[in-house]
Amino acid sequence: MTSSQSGDWWGSGPDEGDEPRVVVRDRRRIDPDSGEVRPESGTVTGGGPGGGPGDEGVGSHPAVDPADAELIESLRLQASERTADLQRLKAEFDNYRRRVERDRQQIGEQATAKVLTSLLSTLDDIGRARDHGDLEGPFKAIAEALETALEAAGLQRFGVAGDEFDPAVHEALMHSYRSDVSGPTCVDVFRAGYLHAGRVLRPAQVAVAEPSGEPAEPVARANDEVTERAAPVPDDTGTIPGPDNGGPTVSAG
């Protein structure tokens, strides 16, 4: 086997000029030449890829370029502004959602109140029939079912004798003075009133009485009998007793 064949068999060896360079990184804190403490970044000696004089050692903190610092600060400012915009938009959307929900509820209540108001005259007819004893048989069952359904829809009836008079919910048709009341009182109800969702659909028409300032009557004895003065009665002689029931008499003739 010749030398050329031997070279072909084993392959050509590495060229001495292609050997990798050895990179030496000097990480000593004390400079051996000057004896001073080196900065945090290590000094790199040697050459080759990744081993130039400008490379930093392990744990180094390269200085930030002023242009990069300005860009970072600008990005931070933009992120803060975008966050504030998102928070403001979220607050506006929450307010809008609550406003829409409130308007939807009010519209529903107004529509229900309009339907209930149209049925009040029917309820008045049912009440008059009940007062006169005409609410009997199937008509009674239908009327009670209607009243129950309207109550479930939120209709409230008010106005009975003895209630304190309130001009916000009562309409006074008559006024009088009585000694058996302590304040403005509804003593009679001509037409009931109705409420829905806290709103007055129709005020109650009533008769109002106020205290007269006179003492209550009558005055009773110990045995709870009313003291009454007996009416004068003519005697057998045709005379009428005088005012003192035993004084001088006046002849009827």
Side-chain angles (χ1 to χ4, degrees):
M1 180 180 297
T2 62
S3 59
S4 60
Q5 293 176 348
S6 177
D8 294 339
W9 176 261
W10 294 106
S12 60
D15 189 2
E16 294 180 356
D18 297 333
E19 293 181 358
R21 297 182 179 181
V22 177
V23 179
V24 178
R25 300 179 184 275
D26 188 1
R27 298 176 181 172
R28 292 176 292 182
R29 297 290 304 278
I30 305 300
D31 191 348
D33 296 334
S34 61
E36 297 178 355
V37 179
R38 293 178 176 177
E40 291 295 331
S41 60
T43 303
V44 181
T45 60
D55 294 342
E56 288 91 4
V58 178
S60 61
H61 300 281
V64 179
D65 189 1
D68 295 338
E70 183 178 356
L71 177 60
I72 293 174
E73 186 64 24
S74 176
L75 293 176
R76 288 179 179 175
L77 181 60
Q78 292 180 10
S80 177
E81 292 177 352
R82 298 299 182 271
T83 302
D85 291 341
L86 290 176
Q87 292 176 348
R88 183 167 54 254
L89 289 175
K90 183 179 182 301
E92 292 178 356
F93 177 75
D94 292 340
N95 294 333
Y96 168 77
R97 183 175 56 186
R98 286 192 293 266
R99 185 169 60 254
V100 169
E101 184 64 25
R102 183 174 62 253
D103 294 344
R104 183 184 296 112
Q105 183 178 359
Q106 291 179 353
I107 292 174
E109 291 178 354
Q110 292 174 0
T112 303
K114 185 176 182 181
V115 175
L116 294 177
T117 302
S118 64
L119 295 174
L120 296 184
S121 59
T122 303
L123 295 178
D124 293 338
D125 295 338
I126 293 175
R128 284 189 288 268
R130 182 181 288 109
D131 295 338
H132 290 83
D134 297 334
L135 197 64
E136 299 294 340
F139 179 63
K140 179 180 180 180
I142 295 173
E144 291 177 351
L146 176 62
E147 292 174 343
T148 301
L150 295 180
E151 290 178 0
L155 184 65
Q156 299 178 357
R157 179 175 177 173
F158 68 92
V160 294
D163 289 346
E164 182 180 358
F165 177 72
D166 184 359
V169 296
H170 295 133
E171 180 182 356
L173 300 183
M174 295 180 62
H175 181 268
S176 61
Y177 293 95
R178 293 173 54 169
S179 59
D180 58 345
V181 295
S182 59
T185 305
C186 301
V187 294
D188 197 3
V189 179
F190 303 113
R191 190 179 69 176
Y194 290 93
L195 293 170
H196 177 260
R199 298 176 56 188
V200 179
L201 298 182
R202 189 182 71 182
Q205 295 180 348
V206 298
V208 182
E210 291 186 283
S212 61
E214 299 178 355
E217 295 290 346
V219 178
R221 292 179 182 270
N223 58 357
D224 295 334
E225 293 181 357
V226 179
T227 303
E228 296 181 356
R229 182 183 295 271
V233 180
D235 58 10
D236 295 337
T237 61
T239 60
I240 300 175
D244 56 353
N245 290 334
T249 59
V250 179
S251 175

